[in-house]
Amino acid sequence: MMALLKWPIKNTNKELSERHLWQLFNSLNDVVLALDKDQKILTVNQCWQNLTGVSVDQSLDLPLNHFIHPEDINQWHQLLQRLSPDQSELIWFRLLHSSGEFRWCEMRIQSMRESSLYPLSATLCDITPQVRNEQIRQASHRSLQSLVNRLPAMLYRTRNNISWTIDYVSGGCQALTGYSTDELLNQLEISIGTMIHPDYASYVWEGVQGALQQYSSFDLEYVLVQKDGKEIWVRDKGHGQYSESGVVLGVEGFIFQTQRKNHD
């Protein structure tokens, strides 16, 4: 069995015994542990078993990296190398469960003494639900982005200037214009404004500005000049972005190729 630590107890509080303090220690919902100079577990509370599926008695005197996911051990060693007695460090890693699954943990670790690095004390918080939710959001974002980039159209967000400087553009820009996203983003020399045929520049500007003033959407057709100089008819549908006070922050929409002009 693990040896009890000596807890500082005020003489005025006789009822708060060492046993009560251990009950408090083991009631915590986060793991609290201490490590020796070989990073072996000196003591740990009962929450550890919930996180790893391994009992406290079976875990004592085992190095912590015995429970860390193999892909995360290197960053654990890197943390130990930069740790000093006067600082604490924060790290995320996966802790292996006896079932074969793993749990994402956030660890705060620091020295227990001012004069030497060891022993170390650490708290571990199970952040698996948050990480999984974030992974789901990222996967959904990647799926949506992939869908957007496969569309036979160019989704965009621009500034409301005469050049229509591009702040965002989807991967469909390559097929539509011949330009890559890198060639179009935040460029003054190449923008939607420079690709609009000169005969339609005023028509587009006035059409968009009129819609912005009315807080309505626009639907325009015009000739766009591709990178190789080829002229194509496109349809441009979009609307403005506004601040809470009604100031125009930008314009967003999508452009796709049409076969013929629908109006004079």
Side-chain angles (χ1 to χ4, degrees):
M1 296 292 292
M2 129 180 95
L4 296 180
L5 297 177
K6 297 301 182 182
W7 298 86
I9 305 174
K10 291 184 178 180
N11 292 331
T12 55
N13 193 352
K14 301 294 186 181
E15 295 181 0
L16 191 59
S17 65
E18 193 170 89
R19 179 173 58 85
H20 290 122
L21 287 170
W22 274 108
Q23 289 175 346
L24 173 63
F25 181 59
N26 287 319
S27 70
L28 298 174
N29 290 324
D30 291 338
V31 172
V32 180
L33 55 80
L35 304 174
D36 67 12
K37 61 182 179 63
D38 297 314
Q39 294 87 53
K40 292 182 179 179
I41 299 173
L42 292 171
T43 186
V44 65
N45 63 347
Q46 290 296 327
C47 185
W48 172 261
Q49 184 166 340
N50 298 333
L51 200 58
T52 65
V54 183
S55 71
V56 169
D57 288 344
Q58 290 175 311
S59 303
L60 294 177
D61 293 327
L62 289 178
L64 184 63
N65 61 18
H66 179 81
F67 301 94
I68 296 176
H69 193 289
E71 294 179 2
D72 297 336
I73 287 178
N74 185 53
Q75 65 168 325
W76 165 246
H77 289 160
Q78 290 176 356
L79 176 143
L80 292 172
Q81 290 175 1
R82 67 175 182 266
L83 192 62
S84 63
D86 60 347
Q87 69 181 57
S88 64
E89 290 282 350
L90 188 68
I91 184 175
W92 284 20
F93 59 76
R94 289 162 289 181
L95 208 60
L96 297 173
H97 192 276
S98 60
S99 66
E101 298 180 353
F102 63 82
R103 307 292 295 177
W104 276 100
C105 296
E106 180 182 85
M107 171 189 273
R108 173 73 66 179
I109 187 168
Q110 57 278 313
S111 173
M112 294 176 65
R113 299 173 180 169
E114 296 182 358
S115 57
S116 62
L117 184 58
Y118 294 98
L120 296 170
S121 66
T123 56
L124 281 82
C125 176
D126 185 359
I127 58 172
T128 305
Q130 298 94 305
V131 171
R132 285 181 177 165
N133 288 339
E134 181 62 26
Q135 289 173 334
I136 291 171
R137 283 193 294 270
Q138 290 177 357
S140 298
H141 176 76
R142 288 193 298 268
S143 178
L144 177 60
Q145 189 64 43
S146 177
L147 172 63
V148 166
N149 288 332
R150 290 197 305 270
L151 290 174
M154 182 176 82
L155 278 70
Y156 67 84
R157 183 171 59 249
T158 72
R159 300 167 206 171
N160 187 35
N161 57 28
I162 197 66
S163 297
W164 305 114
T165 307
I166 300 172
D167 291 326
Y168 166 81
V169 66
S170 67
C173 64
Q174 185 91 46
L176 186 71
T177 70
Y179 294 101
S180 68
T181 55
D182 289 339
E183 290 177 298
L184 293 176
L185 284 174
N186 298 311
Q187 301 295 323
L188 293 177
E189 294 80 9
I190 306 172
S191 65
I192 291 179
T194 62
M195 290 186 287
I196 296 173
H197 191 285
D199 290 349
Y200 294 87
S202 296
Y203 158 73
V204 173
W205 174 258
E206 292 170 4
V208 174
Q209 298 310 306
L212 294 177
Q213 291 173 10
Q214 297 297 320
Y215 297 94
S216 63
S217 299
F218 58 84
D219 186 348
L220 306 169
E221 279 190 294
Y222 54 84
V223 174
L224 184 142
V225 182
Q226 296 178 317
K227 184 176 182 179
D228 60 5
K230 181 181 177 181
E231 298 178 0
I232 61 171
W233 278 101
V234 297
R235 189 170 180 181
D236 189 344
K237 303 182 70 173
H239 57 82
Q241 293 177 301
Y242 304 90
S243 69
E244 292 184 359
S245 61
V247 175
V248 177
L249 302 176
V251 178
E252 59 185 11
F254 65 99
I255 302 173
F256 56 96
Q257 186 172 1
T258 60
Q259 296 302 316
R260 58 191 296 272
K261 185 184 177 194
N262 292 328
H263 65 270
D264 293 329

